[in-house]
Each structure stands twice: as structure tokens, then as C-alpha cells.
Amino acid sequence: GTAALIWNEIIREKVTNFIMNQSKEQRILNFVLQNAVRGDPCSVVDTIDKYCSQKEWAMNVGNEKGKILDKTVEEVNPSVALELGTYCGYSAVRISRLLKAGARLLTVEFNPEFAAIAKQMIEFAGVQDKVKLLEGPSEEIIPQLKKKYEVDTLDLVFLDHWKDRYTPDTILLQECNLLRKGSVLLADNVIFPGAPDFLNYVRKSPHFQCTNYPSHLEYMQVEDAMEKAVFLG
């Protein structure tokens, strides 16, 4: 798995970026703009999956783990959801297409280039009314959610950013009183690349009830999993 990632993410990508004079993320967006149906979030999701499974690997949640994400969104039926790590907007589009009327998703992206791509992806999918993209570090944005973005508590949190931020950001969500009894955290990539500190924290905490969903790394046959942690108060 590591060797395949190094090949896809570092060597192949850098060579292609140099030859084409654009980033992989821009190529994904261009492929969507040319091949997906505007205003159809399902078409956008399917088109990204097609590109990333057939042309260039990318760190979206992907379709296999995407089904676990879908099921969680449908079960929680959130009014307010938070995503940490927007990347190209794949999961923001995937989540928002399942949100009920009046519900909203706040998605946080640290990388300004990714945020710019995601903004276009979200608008092309036609879900911009449900999604607010917040640009900056998660540790700065989380404490602002209540006052600046009028969040009382979060019904669902999808963690898919830097793995070493999973635990501190979970603690920050608790300290800022953004979790209520029944709030659900869903974390991606807990096996590969792995988030052992997070698993150790939520599984040992009396405040969380955890469920593990074994799966595979997006667009590969590498073992991975998602972890659902329900906040007990």
C-alpha cells in the first residue's frame, strides 16, 4: 500500500504535473466539468470516482467507503454537519446530496489551492446552498463555529484531514461544547495511513461508543477502515 501511494502520489503525479503544467486536482476538476452533468451531485461523484479509479489515484473517500458515509448520513439525518478536510469537494458533494431541506454542511480546508478547486466542484454540482467552505486550519476554525458560524451543536462530524489532527480536533470539539449526546463522529483512513492515537482515544473514552467498519483504501485493494464514534455526553 505504501509503495503504491508513493508511486501514485509522488513520482507519477509530479511527472504528470510537470508535463501538463497543472495539478492533479485541476485535472480532476476539468474532467468533471467536461464529463459530468451540471447540477447533478450524483453525476459529479460518479465522474470523480471514474477518473480516480481509471486515470489518477486521489485521496477522496471513494465509492466503497463512500457507501459507509452515505449510510451514516442517512442514519443521523443531520441538521448541521462538519467535514474536516474538503480536498476537491468529493465528500462535501456526496454528503450534501443526502441532506434534508434546510440542513447545512460546513467543510474545512487548509490548502487554498484545494479550497479553490472544491468551491468550483461544489458549485458545479449545484449544492452550494447547502455547503459552506471554510478556509484555514481546523484548530482555528473549530473554536469560531459557535459565534462566527452560528453553530449550536454538530449532529455529524466527518474527519478526513491530517491524521495527527483527529485526536486534538476531537478534544477541541468537546472543549468547545460542539458535541451533544448522540453526535456522531465518522473518521476515515483509521487503518491506512492510520490514526492509532484517535482510535486509542475514542475507544478508551467513557464519552464515546465506537463501531469499526472494515473496508479498503479508496481505489485500491489495501485494507482500511472507518471508525464511528457516537458521543454519549
Side-chain angles (χ1 to χ4, degrees), residues 48-91:
I48 297 173
D49 281 333
K50 184 179 178 183
Y51 186 89
C52 296
S53 57
Q54 295 177 7
K55 295 179 183 290
E56 287 186 274
W57 184 90
M59 57 181 180
N60 311 304
V61 68
N63 195 44
E64 186 184 351
K65 287 184 294 181
K67 289 185 172 72
I68 300 166
L69 176 59
D70 290 352
K71 188 169 179 284
T72 306
V73 173
E74 286 165 348
E75 284 172 359
V76 176
N77 193 21
S79 294
V80 185
L82 173 69
E83 175 184 42
L84 300 175
T86 316
Y87 188 44
C88 290
Y90 174 94
S91 46

Side-chain angles (χ1 to χ4, degrees), residues 125-188:
V127 293
Q128 67 273 20
D129 293 347
K130 293 181 176 181
V131 182
K132 187 166 186 65
L133 199 154
L134 311 176
E135 199 179 315
S138 53
E139 62 268 31
E140 288 180 16
I141 290 173
I142 288 169
Q144 299 176 343
L145 289 176
K146 276 192 183 283
K147 281 190 176 176
K148 193 171 179 182
Y149 300 105
E150 298 176 347
V151 173
D152 179 20
T153 54
L154 297 159
D155 304 308
L156 175 67
V157 180
F158 180 46
L159 298 98
D160 196 19
H161 57 332
W162 297 106
K163 309 312 157 202
D164 61 1
R165 288 299 319 166
Y166 281 20
T167 307
D169 283 348
T170 298
I171 293 166
L172 197 52
L173 288 166
Q174 290 174 264
E175 288 174 345
C176 294
N177 296 312
L178 285 158
L179 303 180
R180 56 159 178 84
K181 187 177 180 181
S183 290
V184 172
L185 274 59
L186 185 68
D188 190 19

Side-chain angles (χ1 to χ4, degrees), residues 13 17 21-28 56 113 117:
E13 186 180 328
N17 289 357
N21 195 30
Q22 61 175 194
S23 68
K24 175 177 68 180
E25 292 72 30
Q26 187 65 53
R27 291 192 290 277
I28 292 170
E56 287 186 274
E113 289 176 28
I117 298 277

